[in-house]
Amino acid sequence: MKAITVKRVFMSVIAVFSMSMIYGCAGYEVNTKRGNIPGYYIRSEMQEADRAVESARQAGKDKNCPVEFKAAEDAKNNAYDVFRACHTEEGAALAKKATAMANALCPPQPAAAAPAVIEAPLALIPAAEPTPERMKYCISLNIEYDINKAEIRPQYNDEVARVGDFMTKYPTTTAVIEGYTDEVGSDDYNMQLSQRRAEGVVKSLEDKFGIAPARLSAKGYGKTRPVTDNASDVAKQKNRRIDAVIDCAIDIKELSAPPERLCMTLKVEFATDSAEIQSRYNGEINTVGEYMKKYPTTTAVIEGHTDNVGSPELNMKLSQKRAENVVTYLVDNFGIEKSRLSAKGYGSTRRVAYNNTPEGRQQNRRINAVIDCVIK
């Protein structure tokens, strides 16, 4: 009985001793002697600081951010100095701070935001540039002027009437009257002269046809847009001209006779990076085919335009292919002679809007048909 009691006491002592050993070693690990601290065990915070600094060194952070790395390493060394001086808890606390410093070295930098693309200001959009809802009916007025004069001589009233009668018939139309000169004279003088001549036509339309001033505007271009060289008197006469660009929201089928030039935007949309014409847009292209079939002396340039998404080279090729597919459609479905049609891709070079909004990009992605009538 006495032996059993002694045995029980011995077992209890062993249990208590084991528990005290486990509790006393919590937060310790085997000492690797990196910090020249004697003993078999060492506080884990000390060697965690060692490992964090060494890991940072292996990652190249001693070179990528050398100042911060040295500060972390110095903090680790200082923790060991304090620990060796028997300030165990203080040394362990300093080691934890050194570990945090080493782990925080060289944080990843946020990716630099792509620089905003600053578009150049829009160039002056030609009056003859159509919009999806309105075509441009363009005619040249065969008006000759006395030298340095802007008055319209009576024999040219019929030319002005071509515009006045059309705008009277279609009261929703508006018009830009454009004046041009040859190269004789100074730039400033020619600009002023062409403006006065355009304004003279506008005044005639207001006074003789009752066209409201709000429907008309005048723009002088001087000698900046010649249609031929100025090498002869005949060539100079061609450059001294008045053009009327009439903005129309009417059905092309209503036109009783073709103008010298008709510009229209086809409401055709393409899938991304595709030039295939979807069948739901056939009606838009049919409008051009029917018009050209009705007037067999007409010719047309089909223009392809894109926004600025993608490389300039890709956009140029894509716009060309889209224009070519419209030409092929007209040839195959309406029998239009290929000699009467041509395709021209402009890529993103002829913006009519800024490309920084979805709406602007949509305006720039377009197919224009520029139809010329050859009078025979």
Side-chain angles (χ1 to χ4, degrees):
M1 185 69 177
K2 186 176 181 179
I4 293 173
T5 302
V6 170
K7 185 176 180 180
R8 287 178 176 172
V9 171
F10 180 73
M11 293 298 292
S12 298
V13 170
I14 291 175
V16 171
F17 179 76
S18 298
M19 290 297 293
S20 65
M21 288 294 291
I22 293 171
Y23 178 79
C25 291
Y28 282 79
E29 60 184 69
V30 175
N31 187 1
T32 62
K33 306 293 179 66
R34 282 187 177 182
N36 297 319
I37 303 295
Y40 188 75
Y41 292 103
I42 189 172
R43 287 285 291 266
S44 58
E45 292 94 335
M46 307 307 298
Q47 295 192 149
E48 284 174 2
D50 272 326
R51 288 190 288 270
V53 170
E54 185 57 28
S55 176
R57 190 192 313 278
Q58 293 297 322
K61 294 182 179 181
D62 57 329
K63 297 180 176 60
N64 293 337
C65 41
V67 174
E68 294 85 352
F69 177 84
K70 187 175 186 308
E73 188 174 43
D74 288 347
K76 184 259 302 184
N77 292 337
N78 180 55
Y80 269 104
D81 291 340
V82 172
F83 192 87
R84 273 193 295 270
C86 296
H87 300 292
T88 305
E89 294 302 324
E90 185 180 351
L94 292 172
K96 287 180 72 173
K97 290 183 179 180
T99 299
M101 291 172 67
N103 290 337
L105 287 174
C106 307
Q109 298 297 315
V117 177
I118 300 176
E119 291 188 81
L122 284 174
L124 181 67
I125 299 173
E129 175 68 39
T131 63
E133 303 299 334
R134 303 181 75 86
M135 62 184 176
K136 299 302 174 81
Y137 182 103
C138 309
I139 55 178
S140 292
L141 306 185
N142 299 313
I143 299 175
E144 294 185 10
Y145 291 91
D146 293 328
I147 296 174
N148 297 331
K149 299 293 184 181
E151 290 75 28
I152 301 170
R153 287 185 279 176
Q155 61 263 43
Y156 297 116
N157 287 341
D158 288 347
E159 288 294 308
V160 179
R162 294 167 62 197
V163 179
D165 291 342
F166 186 88
M167 295 188 72
T168 300
K169 182 177 180 180
Y170 300 107
T172 63
T173 54
T174 60
V176 177
I177 307 301
E178 300 178 337
Y180 302 88
T181 68
D182 57 30
E183 65 177 4
V184 177
S186 70
D187 292 352
D188 288 344
Y189 181 78
N190 280 326
M191 195 65 76
Q192 294 171 14
L193 181 60
S194 63
Q195 181 68 32
R196 287 193 290 118
R197 287 174 174 174
E199 290 171 353
V201 174
V202 165
K203 189 173 187 308
S204 179
L205 290 167
E206 292 172 355
D207 293 347
K208 296 179 180 178
F209 295 89
I211 308 298
R215 295 173 60 196
L216 295 163
S217 62
K219 177 63 179 175
Y221 289 96
K223 62 182 183 182
T224 61
R225 296 184 180 181
V227 293
T228 184
D229 60 38
N230 285 282
S232 66
D233 289 341
V234 173
K236 290 175 183 176
Q237 180 58 56
K238 288 183 179 179
N239 288 329
R240 296 192 298 270
R241 65 195 192 279
I242 292 287
D243 287 346
V245 181
I246 305 173
D247 190 88
C248 312
I250 59 176
D251 190 332
I252 191 174
K253 295 176 183 178
E254 294 183 33
L255 299 179
S256 57
E260 292 158 29
R261 172 166 291 183
L262 188 66
C263 304
M264 54 197 300
T265 291
L266 306 183
K267 289 180 280 188
V268 178
E269 295 185 12
F270 295 88
T272 302
D273 293 333
S274 173
E276 181 180 354
I277 300 169
Q278 299 176 51
S279 59
R280 67 177 180 271
Y281 298 118
N282 289 353
E284 280 291 308
I285 307 174
N286 291 348
T287 302
V288 177
E290 291 164 358
Y291 183 85
M292 294 188 71
K293 199 165 184 178
K294 181 178 180 180
Y295 300 108
T297 63
T298 53
T299 61
V301 177
I302 306 301
E303 300 178 344
H305 303 269
T306 70
D307 57 29
N308 67 347
V309 176
S311 70
E313 295 78 11
L314 175 63
N315 283 332
M316 195 64 75
K317 291 177 182 177
L318 186 60
S319 62
Q320 180 67 31
K321 182 61 178 172
R322 288 173 175 175
E324 289 172 354
N325 282 0
V326 173
V327 166
T328 299
Y329 179 93
L330 291 168
V331 171
D332 293 346
N333 291 276
F334 289 90
I336 308 296
E337 298 91 337
K338 209 160 187 180
S339 60
R340 296 172 58 197
L341 294 162
S342 61
K344 177 64 177 175
Y346 288 98
S348 59
T349 62
R350 292 191 175 183
R351 298 172 300 154
V352 294
Y354 287 101
N355 284 295
N356 56 3
T357 65
E359 295 77 13
R361 291 191 291 274
Q362 180 61 53
Q363 285 181 259
N364 288 329
R365 295 192 300 268
R366 65 198 191 279
I367 292 286
N368 286 351
V370 180
I371 306 172
D372 287 313
C373 181
V374 180
I375 308 298
K376 292 187 177 179

